[in-house]
Structure formats: structure tokens, C-alpha cells
Amino acid sequence: MNDLYARHRNVLPDWLALYYDEPLEISHGEGRHVWDSAGNKYLDFFGGILTTMTAHALPEVTKAVGEQAGRIIHSSTLYLNRPMVELAERIAKVSGIPDARVFFTTSGTEANDTALLLATTHRRSNTVLAMRNSYHGRSFSTVGVTGNRGWSPTSLSPLQTLYVHGGVRTRGPYAHLDDRAFIDACVADLRDILGHTRPPAALIAEPIQGVGGFTSPPDGLYAAFRDILTEHGVLWIADEVQTGWGRTGEHFWGWQAHARSGPPDLVTFAKGIGNGMSVGGVIARAEIMNCLDANSISTFGGTQITMAAGLANLAYLLEHDLQGNARRVGGLLIERLRAVAAQLPGVREVRGRGLMIGIELVRPGTDEADPRAAAAVLEAAREGGLLIGKGGGHNTSALRIAPPLSLTVAEAEEGAAILEHALRSTY
């Protein structure tokens, strides 16, 4: 392992982060578990950054991938592609967007990049609204709309980005307000911004901020925003890269918690749909999707082998009601963790929905973020046989918990017990 780590450092960028003081090589996985190259077994509560959505080595997906690989792996979008058409049909149907069109990419970054291209072209504006503490990818344009300093390496951007309040409920100038007053204050902030600038192309927002530490506004905020955006002709892009496909339990899409004014104009997706294969994409009304007046294809977006994986994975998720499982098992897990947190002075908040749970850590007796404690809990959890993630807009002080959606009650209890021990050993 030390040799592999040395080789990694010799040929890969310094900014390519690795978890743990002694980085981990995952050799294989099954169900909700993975094994490292030394033979250690771990319960996986992070799923390759919310990407292994159903299970590791899910037979239905591996079979579909193998069978497709035996026929043809790739041809590009220049040729008719049956798996791509079939998956697009299924996604359009579950999207909630009328007259929906689907364009496939290879990642969430590329999906958001495409959505920004479509929105700015359709609206003839390069001004974009985004949320503070947000994350939308690592390309030049998506870094330019990311409101999280830890993931924004440059201020240069092809876009003019204006950041609005609302993505973080329990921090910031409106944190002391009740939910209704919080929404009213954020709407007033949005109105004020729109009164001082030329009409933007779109608002891009994660229903639950992923890298930001699984923070979210009160239900209905984006519906209230939508009313104001519609007055100004501004589009709404819902970044569902982490929240889509039932992970929040209560809804299939995160935007549905804000559904009073109907679906977004554009929805971006990635991560979980491929269960580890590189699948991303954009869903939009036909008038928006078809606004480009130049050639645009994708060499690898929608390639046959990834589409076969997506079809099998989506079918499994729907047939086995993994959204319902995320609601039931996730509800038990979050209440168990809240009971533990109530006894620990360093836990500021346990938040989230379904199997998308964040634990924010602070220095005991203060409201000050504690990134060192977050790193220590991450290490202790690994020692106990549990893999989790971390994030947050305040110096990476939030633990991120997002197991595959097929998690069992017994596995949730096992993971909670390991995490409780890791938290207690830190505080």
C-alpha cells in the first residue's frame, strides 16, 4: 500500500485529495460492504460519493453490463443507440417535466455545464444565480457557480454569478428566524438582487447541498423563489446529482419538496443512476433543450454499456422500492444518531432526509467549526469498520452519511454503533 501511495503521489496532482492518514485501496465490494487490498472489511456509508446507489456488485447491473459488453461497448451519439433511447424514455417519464428531452453526459460536472450552456443560450444572458455554500462541479463554468470556497480554486469564470441566501438553514443572518420568516427573508434578498442586475439566465440550486454538508432550506423555499423567477423570465435548474432517484426517501427528486409551482425548467443528474458507471445528464423542456443552433454531440455520453447499467439499475430501484427503504431505514438511522448527538457537546446538528444524513461538528461550548474533530471521527470510524464522508462550507466540519439505498435495518444499527463509538472517542 505504501508503494502504491508513493506511486500515486509521483504521477497524480497534489490537489487530488485522498481520505485517511494511511490511504485506502478498495479492492472489491458486495452489497453494502467493501474490502481493502489488505483484506479488511468495511460497511460502506458513502458509496463512492453517493454513486453506488443500489448495492456493490448488484447482479442485475453486472449482468446487464457483461451482456452489453459482449455485443458492443460504444459507438458515440452519431448512431442510433437503443439503450440510450430506452433509458431516456424512462427518465423523461419519471422526471415530471412536460415534453421532456434528455441529454446524457459522463458526469455531474458535465451535466451542470450543459445545463448552464442551455440556460444562458436560451435566455441570452451570462448572469447566473447560485446558492451560497453550493457545489456544482469542477469544470471552468461549474467552479464559477460554486459557492463553497474549499471547492472553488479560481475566481475566473465565463459567467457572472450572484449568490443568494437560503441553502443553509441554521447558519447565516436568517438562522434565528422561523421557517416562514426565513423563506420570506430569502425571497426579499432574491427580489433585491434582481432589482439591481439585468435579468439572469437561471438559478441553479441543489435541493440538499451535498458537498456543503447535506444542508437544506425549509420545504417550499424554491417554490417561493420560482414565483419571483417566473416574473423575471429566469429559469430554474435543479441540481439533482446527489439528491435524485429517491435518496431523500420522501420524494423521488429533491425538488419535489418545493413542488407547489411545478417541476424545474431543467434537472441535472448523475452519480447514483449508473451505480458506479459514468452516467450523467440533463432533462429539460423541448424548447430549452433544442435552443442550440450549432452541432453538439457526445463521444462518451450515452454510450451503450453505461446505458445498459443505468437501465438495469433504475429498474431495480423502482421494482424494489428503494425510495421507500431509504425513507424507512434512513428515518431509523437519523433518529438513532440524533439520540447519540444529544449526549455529545461537539455535535451541533444532525440533519438530512432518507439516506442522506449530515452531522455537523463544532468545538464544544462554541459554534465554531471543528474540522480536526471531523477528520478524527473519519479515522476512528474506519478503524471500527465503517466508511463515511465529510464536507461542509465551514472548514469541512460535517460528516456525510449516504449508504446504498438497499441498506438493511441491521446494517443501519451496526453503522450507527460504530459511528457512536467514533464520536465518543473523539469528544
Side-chain angles (χ1 to χ4, degrees):
M1 180 61 66
N2 289 334
D3 176 61
L4 184 60
Y5 183 32
R7 290 163 58 193
H8 176 282
R9 296 187 65 183
N10 283 338
V11 297
L12 297 172
D14 290 345
W15 42 260
L16 193 62
L18 290 168
Y19 272 173
Y20 308 116
D21 292 337
E22 296 182 7
L24 180 69
E25 180 192 6
I26 294 175
S27 61
H28 63 285
E30 182 178 348
R32 276 70 54 195
H33 292 87
V34 295
W35 285 258
D36 68 19
S37 54
N40 299 305
K41 181 181 179 181
Y42 303 91
L43 184 58
D44 186 3
F45 268 28
F46 204 37
I49 319 179
L50 291 83
T51 299
T52 306
M53 180 171 66
T54 46
H56 290 281
L58 186 71
E60 288 82 353
V61 173
T62 56
K63 179 183 178 184
V65 169
E67 289 178 349
Q68 183 60 55
R71 292 190 292 271
I72 187 169
I73 292 175
H74 168 76
S75 67
S76 89
T77 55
L78 290 172
Y79 305 91
L80 284 172
N81 179 333
R82 189 173 300 274
M84 181 169 67
V85 172
E86 291 175 353
L87 184 56
E89 288 172 338
R90 298 208 69 174
I91 290 174
K93 185 176 180 180
V94 300
S95 72
I97 295 177
D99 195 20
R101 300 293 189 272
V102 182
F103 177 76
F104 289 105
T105 67
T106 60
S107 69
T109 290
E110 190 187 352
N112 285 329
D113 195 81
T114 302
L116 293 168
L117 168 67
L118 291 168
T120 54
T121 302
H122 184 71
R123 293 279 298 133
R124 299 297 175 187
S125 169
N126 75 331
T127 301
V128 173
L129 300 170
M131 307 303 295
R132 300 181 185 192
N133 195 52
S134 59
Y135 175 81
H136 298 291
R138 54 156 303 280
S139 69
F140 192 41
S141 70
T142 55
V143 163
V145 298
T146 286
N148 185 318
R149 174 62 187 87
W151 293 90
S152 184
T154 177
S155 62
L156 303 176
S157 174
L159 302 169
Q160 176 182 330
T161 306
L162 305 173
Y163 293 99
V164 295
H165 287 289
V168 182
R169 177 65 184 89
T170 61
R171 285 189 181 271
Y174 308 143
H176 64 286
L177 302 174
D178 63 31
D179 283 355
R180 182 66 261 167
F182 181 93
I183 291 175
D184 289 344
C186 293
V187 167
D189 174 62
L190 175 62
R191 280 193 182 277
D192 184 65
I193 287 177
L194 291 174
H196 291 283
T197 185
R198 297 184 65 82
L203 165 73
I204 184 168
E206 305 156 274
I208 298 177
Q209 294 181 331
V211 170
F214 293 170
T215 62
S216 62
D219 287 359
L221 174 75
Y222 293 117
F225 276 8
R226 181 68 175 281
D227 293 341
I228 311 306
L229 298 175
T230 300
E231 291 177 14
H232 294 264
V234 181
L235 302 175
W236 174 23
I237 303 170
D239 179 344
E240 297 273 358
V241 169
Q242 297 196 30
T243 49
W245 319 110
R247 177 164 287 282
T248 68
E250 296 177 21
H251 303 102
F252 193 74
W253 301 103
W255 65 259
Q256 289 172 314
H258 310 269
R260 171 170 54 82
S261 54
D265 300 290
L266 302 95
V267 170
T268 61
F269 62 86
K271 290 193 182 290
I273 183 60
N275 204 43
M277 298 295 280
S278 298
V279 184
V282 184
I283 318 162
R285 299 195 316 272
E287 65 175 295
I288 299 172
M289 185 68 79
N290 295 333
C291 74
L292 303 184
D293 62 1
N295 292 329
S296 192
I297 65 167
S298 180
T299 301
F300 290 110
T303 199
Q304 284 91 336
I305 196 165
T306 62
M307 296 295 95
L311 276 166
N313 196 44
L314 182 57
Y316 185 92
L317 180 140
L318 295 172
E319 291 165 8
H320 291 80
D321 187 25
L322 294 194
Q323 177 186 334
N325 192 65
R327 182 179 63 253
R328 293 184 295 272
V329 180
L332 293 171
L333 180 57
I334 197 169
E335 289 308 315
R336 171 83 160 78
L337 293 174
R338 281 175 174 160
V340 172
Q343 306 171 43
L344 298 172
V347 179
R348 181 177 185 270
E349 182 182 22
V350 177
R351 57 186 176 239
R353 286 184 169 177
L355 289 173
M356 192 173 185
I357 302 169
I359 303 176
E360 185 176 342
L361 305 182
V362 293
R363 302 184 194 282
T366 76
D367 205 32
E368 183 182 347
D370 196 348
R372 285 181 293 182
V377 174
L378 199 78
E379 294 283 354
R382 176 198 171 173
E383 287 296 314
L386 179 71
L387 304 184
I388 58 175
K390 60 180 179 176
H394 295 271
N395 298 316
T396 317
S397 61
L399 307 174
R400 300 169 68 199
I401 298 161
L405 303 190
S406 56
L407 186 76
T408 67
V409 171
E411 290 164 343
E413 287 289 345
E414 178 189 354
I418 297 171
L419 193 50
E420 177 179 3
H421 183 268
L423 285 163
R424 292 187 184 279
S425 70
T426 301
Y427 288 105

